[in-house]
Amino acid sequence: MPGTQWRISSHDATQYGSRLLRDSLLPGREFPFPKSLYAVEDALRFFIADNPNAVVVDFFSGSGTTAHAVMRLNKQYGGSRQCISVTNNEVSAEEQGKLRAQGLRPGDPEWEQWGICDYITKPRIRAAITGATATGEPIRGEYRFVDEFPIADGFAENAAFFTLTYESPFMVSTDRAFAAIAPMLWLRAGARGDRIDSVDQGFAVVDSYGVLRDLDQAAEFVDALRERDGIRIAYIVTDDEGRYQQVASELPHIETVRLYEDYLRNCESTGDF
């Protein structure tokens, strides 16, 4: 187990945090006090090295060091560990002053491009995976210590980026905003494999979940789910509680979620903070 202090050269935040980001992954871009990639990697190693399907949730993800470290652990140990990175797109106070002087405001594309997520987090994750900088140049240098190889080799990883928005409850409840909430359904089902972005044929089934929109096709939907291994959730679109329960009873070993009642209830705000 780790002690209360680690005096290890690989954990130098200046060399393997700030300089790694500024000089290699994102040339010329600054981020205040990024952690050492290897320090985060070592911390995670204690808990997820033996768990090939671990899910790491990183709130206030900043420069994306945690996601980067999870990639390295996947390469070293095999497996499909996931990292869900959550951050805002805040623009620094100094940069805000310059932008306001130009007549720009939050929400303007020219403003948002300088935010933490768009300017640092997403480009860093892309660079780590592809092995190329934001301008397409191969990243200079090599990873060190536990697993040494050129940074330009990248990783055999996938990444999906989503922006949180607020959807009208009316549009959701009347089945007019499926595309907007589709990523949430995919995430709820484990964020693995294909994603269902539309249901034009009455129902759709992919690797880990299915969506039933036309209850007249419930029998076919149930059969399609039973034919696949690894299904975790079935989303059933209906206002009829009785018909929902009828379909759910046919799927005793699969979690069922009623759309859009369950979704709206989970996402509502009571106003009590």
Side-chain angles (χ1 to χ4, degrees):
M1 291 299 293
T4 56
Q5 293 185 344
W6 290 356
R7 301 180 182 276
I8 304 173
S9 60
S10 61
H11 296 182
D12 183 340
T14 298
Q15 183 68 24
Y16 304 114
S18 300
R19 290 177 183 168
L20 177 66
L21 201 66
R22 182 191 62 215
D23 299 340
S24 297
L25 296 164
L26 301 176
R29 301 191 185 190
E30 298 281 352
F31 182 82
F33 310 114
K35 300 177 181 66
S36 164
L37 171 63
Y38 307 110
V40 175
E41 178 184 323
D42 282 346
L44 291 172
R45 195 188 317 277
F46 284 102
F47 303 100
I48 67 172
D50 296 329
N51 185 351
N53 297 310
V55 178
V56 178
V57 181
D58 178 22
F59 281 98
F60 306 103
S61 58
S63 70
T65 305
T66 300
H68 197 164
V70 170
M71 296 180 205
R72 278 185 49 83
L73 292 173
N74 276 339
K75 185 176 185 299
Q76 293 168 39
Y77 297 101
S80 301
R81 297 165 189 80
Q82 294 177 305
C83 182
I84 300 175
S85 301
V86 184
T87 184
N88 62 18
N89 199 41
E90 183 179 5
V91 174
S92 69
E94 179 182 359
E95 195 67 41
Q96 285 187 36
K98 298 177 183 177
L99 295 172
R100 290 188 187 280
Q102 300 173 37
L104 298 172
R105 294 291 183 271
D108 294 337
E110 298 86 353
W111 177 292
E112 298 299 326
Q113 68 179 335
W114 301 106
I116 292 172
C117 187
D118 286 346
Y119 190 61
I120 298 293
T121 317
K122 290 194 289 188
R124 192 255 181 86
I125 292 173
R126 287 195 189 99
I129 293 174
T130 64
T133 66
T135 58
E137 299 295 323
I139 297 174
R140 298 178 300 172
E142 296 189 351
Y143 290 112
R144 298 188 57 190
F145 309 107
V146 176
D147 192 14
E148 301 184 7
F149 60 94
I151 300 176
D153 284 358
F155 296 94
E157 298 281 350
N158 295 309
F161 300 111
F162 304 111
T163 300
L164 178 65
T165 60
Y166 294 93
E167 299 300 322
S168 161
F170 172 76
M171 295 295 287
V172 173
S173 64
T174 55
D175 196 20
R176 300 180 187 180
F178 183 84
I181 72 167
M184 296 294 292
L185 306 184
W186 179 71
L187 285 169
R188 171 83 179 269
R192 298 182 185 277
D194 292 334
R195 190 176 77 224
I196 300 172
D197 291 319
S198 64
V199 188
D200 298 326
Q201 305 302 319
F203 71 88
V205 176
V206 290
D207 304 77
S208 60
Y209 71 107
V211 179
L212 172 64
R213 172 175 278 170
D214 182 358
L215 267 70
D216 289 338
Q217 299 185 46
E220 294 92 330
F221 177 67
V222 170
D223 289 342
L225 293 180
R226 289 173 175 170
E227 291 173 359
R228 286 178 177 258
D229 294 326
I231 296 292
R232 298 180 55 180
I233 296 180
Y235 298 102
I236 303 168
V237 182
T238 179
D239 290 330
D240 189 324
E241 176 66 19
R243 296 194 71 185
Y244 164 71
Q245 292 296 342
Q246 184 178 9
V247 177
S249 67
E250 297 291 324
L251 302 167
H253 304 299
I254 298 176
E255 179 185 356
T256 58
V257 174
R258 180 182 165 196
L259 294 182
Y260 293 91
E261 179 66 24
D262 289 351
Y263 174 86
L264 291 168
R265 186 169 62 249
N266 289 337
C267 295
E268 71 182 356
S269 172
T270 64
D272 296 327
F273 298 100

